[in-house]
Amino acid sequence: MNSRERVLLALNHKEPDRIPYDMGGTVVTGIQAKAYARLRKYLDLPEKEIIIIDILQQLAQVDDDVMDRMGLDFRNISPRSTASFKIELKLTPDGRYSFFHDEYQIGWRMPVDGGMYYDMFDHPLIGNISEEDVDRYRLPDPLDPSRFEGLRESAQKVLEQEKRALVIGNISAGIFELYLWTRGFKDGYTEWAENPSMAKKLLRKYSDLQLAYWERMFEVMEGIPIDVVQMADDLAGQNGMLISPGSYRRQLKPFHKEMFDFIHSKTDAKIFFHSCGSIRPLIPDLIEIGVDILNPVQVSAANMDSAELKREFGKDICFWGGGVDTQNVFDETHSPQQVRADVRKRLEDWMPGGGFVFNTVHNIQGNVPPENIMAMWETVRECGVYQN
Amino acid sequence: MELKTIYDAVINGEVQETQDLIREALADGIPAETILHDALIPAMTQVGCLFEAQEYYVPEMLVSAKAMQTGMQSLKPLLASEESKFDRQASPKAALGTVKGDLHDIGKDLVITMLEGAGFQVMDLGVDVQPEKFIEAIQDGAQLIGLSAMLTTTMLNMRSTIEALEEAGVRERVKVLVGGAPLNQSYADHIGADGFARDASSAVRKAQELLHVNEAKGE
């Protein structure tokens, strides 16, 4: 059974030979560069330059030798920035931060000393804005040909040679995320309740960008079977939803539905949807509008117990993530034995009947030692085999 | 019943309405401090309760806070004047920041908003705050320090911040409240914090408890 066959069985709620294993198949199921460098060394793989594929999260490109060694089942293909856009990294005058502005004019910075991620500090639409400001705000061109250069050839190689499952990434963060990132969190959240029509106008703009992108991407990939399409919108926090379920249904769900309907009309790919936190109140809504896969399944958030979720929703949605508790177990303060114990428990909860892809909760963080990464991997190899 | 209508307007997040009602109340001779203590602060307390009950979420809480803050603009000049009985000295003082290395300020900003809503004077120390800045804030009169972290990798700097307070000899003068997504009570105990709060609303309650705010007012 090759990777693609394994994945397709699992995503269709059937038991393959073993649990499909992901590390780097998406930008929310990857590995931070520092942890990746240590992992390569630990695996005795040749020293090489680590390529950063996501500057914000400092995610490493998982190299072919690691993919082969760990038997990773997914390959990510994502659009590039436009050729005219180059990230210009600068230093703040006090030398404490490295910073840049992205294609959306959002400003990001990271502490020079000990920084692990870039975080936002500047928002192009912060403050009091008018509808004209929204119209004037220029988004990057989703159809710029340089975004798609070489992607079809890469996809063909994945399909014909590697036989891994093909995951296509989105052009940007989720539409609600973009809304908050461009407005700034405080203004964006306030407006969400105070002036929903402005929020709607912005969501329309971001949705149109993504719809145009997906239409072009499906044209580029014509005839190549895409297995998974990756979508995201963080809607929940540690203890509950960030916005009310009611406002999700009124103000955001129609946009999600429109996008997912479009994607399902163009491809047989499964829709992977990422939202951190305690997203449980919305899982039935997501199922209803065509989400096939939920990620990262933050098992440490409120009401996100793995056994309960599998029992309640396992027939209707796949879980991709939740394989180890990143917040409480998967770090440098816990032993490989503790990691093994947590992974074993999660596998018992998640694996019956398929519908599960192994991944940590979100990316492997920069502080995770390689011993713990491999303890996790070995446990999945030992216990993640289906007896059929 | 102007106070009740102001109270309702804040809870319902009616920004303009709150401001209009406050102006009317002032014109009718209701003292600014009465409006603050009998309408605005109780309204924000109720908003906190609705948030904890998951009837209100971050957006609703922020709009209510905006209503209160807009209303406060009319009250502030009066509260600061000589005639006012509002005692700036007596209002509890807190300084908040995200710890060194952590740039996530949404949670911290919500806590500040809610503390101000409860009548605290709050110094916002910003993000990625070095321990020295917390020490300075204590020397400037902060009675409570709020440390925030969103990452398991940065929450470790909470402990080093508390240690720095000890080394500087100011730890005993201040209460330390910690919060952020990856934290819990046992971690707070482990690093020697005085309190932990899981959200902005319980942070207010915890801060009041640590500083004996309501007891001092004889309530």
Side-chain angles (χ1 to χ4, degrees):
Chain A
M1 187 174 289
N2 64 39
S3 285
R4 184 157 184 264
E5 292 164 343
R6 175 177 303 123
V7 168
L8 290 180
L9 279 171
L11 296 184
N12 284 302
H13 298 269
K14 297 193 177 79
E15 295 188 351
D17 55 345
R18 63 169 173 82
I19 297 171
Y21 196 104
D22 177 27
M23 184 174 82
T26 76
V27 289
V28 285
T29 59
I31 177 166
Q32 206 267 0
K34 289 177 183 174
Y36 181 69
R38 287 193 298 265
L39 177 65
R40 284 192 66 88
K41 196 161 182 218
Y42 179 80
L43 292 175
D44 230 359
L45 292 166
E47 228 174 279
K48 66 178 286 299
E49 192 197 348
I50 309 288
I51 298 167
I52 303 285
I53 51 158
D54 181 308
I55 184 168
L56 304 175
Q57 305 180 96
Q58 294 287 295
L59 286 187
Q61 177 173 307
V62 178
D63 300 289
D64 289 354
D65 51 4
V66 173
M67 291 190 83
D68 291 341
R69 175 75 170 267
M70 294 178 75
L72 303 180
D73 292 304
F74 299 86
R75 176 71 82 173
N76 176 268
I77 290 188
S78 288
R80 307 169 198 284
S81 305
T82 58
S84 58
F85 177 78
K86 295 271 178 294
I87 285 180
E88 286 177 55
L89 283 182
K90 295 177 191 156
L91 271 185
T92 51
D94 61 6
R96 284 182 69 196
Y97 302 97
S98 147
F99 75 97
F100 70 95
H101 283 80
D102 67 14
E103 283 190 284
Y104 299 83
Q105 301 142 50
I106 299 163
W108 300 83
R109 65 181 175 178
M110 177 169 80
V112 171
D113 177 20
M116 296 237 190
Y117 315 94
Y118 279 87
D119 283 290
M120 268 164 275
F121 72 95
D122 195 10
H123 313 276
L125 293 172
I126 198 164
N128 288 324
I129 56 165
S130 66
E131 299 212 343
E132 291 71 39
D133 291 324
V134 176
D135 293 333
R136 266 198 301 272
Y137 169 56
R138 275 197 59 187
L139 289 170
D141 178 8
L143 305 181
D144 186 306
S146 55
R147 289 191 188 280
F148 303 92
E149 261 168 36
L151 299 188
R152 185 179 171 86
E153 294 70 26
S154 303
Q156 252 157 349
K157 182 171 167 253
V158 176
L159 185 73
E160 287 157 18
Q161 295 173 28
E162 298 184 5
K163 307 200 186 303
R164 291 193 168 97
L166 180 60
V167 184
I168 305 287
N170 204 343
I171 188 175
S172 68
I175 55 171
F176 183 67
E177 292 170 328
L178 264 188
Y179 164 71
L180 290 176
W181 297 4
T182 50
R183 283 292 275 129
F185 288 94
K186 190 170 183 183
D187 290 348
Y189 277 122
T190 306
E191 185 171 78
W192 191 251
E194 195 184 20
N195 187 8
S197 69
M198 184 68 89
K200 186 175 175 183
K201 190 171 169 68
L202 281 158
L203 290 180
R204 183 71 267 159
K205 189 167 172 123
Y206 303 149
S207 249
D208 287 345
L209 170 95
Q210 295 198 349
L211 286 165
Y213 157 74
W214 282 114
E215 183 167 28
R216 176 60 51 87
M217 182 58 104
F218 295 135
E219 284 165 15
V220 167
M221 294 292 169
E222 172 104 56
I224 295 178
I226 298 168
D227 301 312
V228 179
V229 157
Q230 190 228 313
M231 307 295 295
D233 246 339
D234 274 331
L235 302 172
Q238 194 78 26
N239 303 315
M241 297 283 299
L242 294 169
I243 57 173
S244 69
S247 75
Y248 171 77
R249 288 171 194 135
R250 283 190 307 274
Q251 296 170 222
L252 183 53
K253 188 178 173 184
F255 287 100
H256 279 163
K257 181 177 183 324
E258 177 191 44
M259 183 107 54
F260 302 160
D261 283 350
F262 177 76
I263 291 168
H264 281 311
S265 78
K266 294 282 179 184
T267 169
D268 293 332
K270 304 286 185 189
I271 293 180
F272 167 115
F273 183 83
H274 166 98
S275 171
C276 288
S278 179
I279 188 75
R280 188 166 180 165
L282 289 193
I283 294 176
D285 296 85
L286 296 173
I287 292 169
E288 179 201 319
I289 59 176
V291 170
D292 302 293
I293 302 159
L294 188 67
N295 169 271
V297 208
Q298 190 185 333
V299 291
S300 54
N303 305 314
M304 290 294 284
D305 177 73
S306 37
E308 278 179 36
L309 289 177
K310 180 76 175 182
R311 199 161 48 237
E312 197 171 342
F313 303 109
K315 284 193 171 44
D316 301 311
I317 201 164
C318 297
F319 297 99
W320 182 326
V324 67
D325 181 346
T326 296
Q327 274 183 315
N328 298 303
V329 179
F330 200 49
D331 60 23
E332 78 280 28
T333 69
H334 289 77
S335 67
Q337 287 68 31
Q338 288 170 308
V339 170
R340 284 175 195 276
D342 191 59
V343 172
R344 269 198 297 273
K345 180 223 168 339
R346 304 296 166 190
L347 295 186
E348 275 173 32
D349 291 345
W350 292 128
M351 71 182 278
F356 175 58
V357 172
F358 189 87
N359 190 247
T360 47
V361 175
H362 219 301
N363 297 315
I364 296 177
Q365 305 294 298
N367 61 339
V368 183
E371 291 80 1
N372 287 4
I373 297 174
M374 292 316 289
M376 168 177 81
W377 181 83
E378 282 161 14
T379 309
V380 180
R381 277 300 156 113
E382 288 157 21
C383 309
V385 178
Y386 287 102
Q387 311 292 336
N388 46 10
Chain B
M1 278 308 288
E2 278 155 320
L3 290 177
K4 173 76 169 99
T5 57
I6 295 170
Y7 172 88
D8 288 340
V10 171
I11 289 177
N12 296 329
E14 290 156 355
V15 178
Q16 188 59 48
E17 177 86 354
T18 304
Q19 202 171 19
D20 294 345
L21 288 167
I22 285 176
R23 287 200 183 120
E24 278 174 38
L26 289 171
D28 289 351
I30 298 177
E33 56 266 39
T34 305
I35 298 171
L36 176 65
H37 288 289
D38 295 347
L40 298 187
I41 290 177
M44 287 309 289
T45 305
Q46 178 61 15
V47 167
C49 294
L50 291 167
F51 179 76
E52 283 182 66
Q54 300 203 350
E55 284 184 45
Y56 272 21
Y57 291 80
V58 171
E60 292 80 13
M61 188 157 91
L62 282 173
V63 181
S64 287
K66 184 176 173 182
M68 163 156 186
Q69 283 156 355
T70 309
M72 279 300 286
Q73 284 166 9
S74 309
L75 299 185
K76 261 184 183 158
L78 301 165
L79 294 169
S81 72
E82 295 272 330
E83 295 81 29
S84 171
K85 283 177 281 178
F86 181 71
D87 184 1
R88 295 289 288 175
Q89 290 303 317
S91 62
K93 294 173 191 64
L96 275 75
T98 71
V99 292
K100 189 171 170 338
D102 199 300
L103 303 180
H104 302 88
D105 55 3
I106 307 162
K108 177 214 43 143
D109 289 348
L110 280 174
V111 174
I112 289 176
T113 301
M114 293 305 282
L115 280 173
E116 286 176 343
F120 278 70
Q121 284 183 63
V122 187
M123 267 184 266
D124 182 358
L125 302 180
V127 296
D128 189 14
V129 179
Q130 310 281 341
E132 300 76 57
K133 281 181 72 181
F134 286 107
I135 294 166
E136 277 170 34
I138 297 166
Q139 283 156 350
D140 288 344
Q143 300 153 288
L144 178 125
I145 292 290
L147 305 180
S148 170
M150 203 196 79
L151 303 173
T152 50
T153 46
T154 53
M155 71 180 192
L156 308 174
N157 291 332
M158 290 185 157
R159 168 177 253 175
S160 48
T161 304
I162 291 174
E163 284 166 359
L165 301 187
E166 281 163 5
E167 279 163 32
V170 296
R171 177 66 185 90
E172 299 306 316
R173 286 159 56 182
V174 74
K175 299 292 182 189
V176 177
L177 182 61
V178 296
L183 276 84
N184 53 39
Q185 185 64 52
S186 73
Y187 187 76
D189 295 341
H190 176 66
I191 61 171
D194 297 302
F196 157 76
R198 68 197 286 271
D199 58 39
S201 174
S202 53
V204 172
R205 214 169 38 242
K206 198 76 202 175
Q208 288 170 330
E209 190 185 306
L210 288 172
L211 296 184
H212 309 287
V213 169
N214 291 337
E215 295 162 38
K217 278 162 63 184
E219 285 173 13

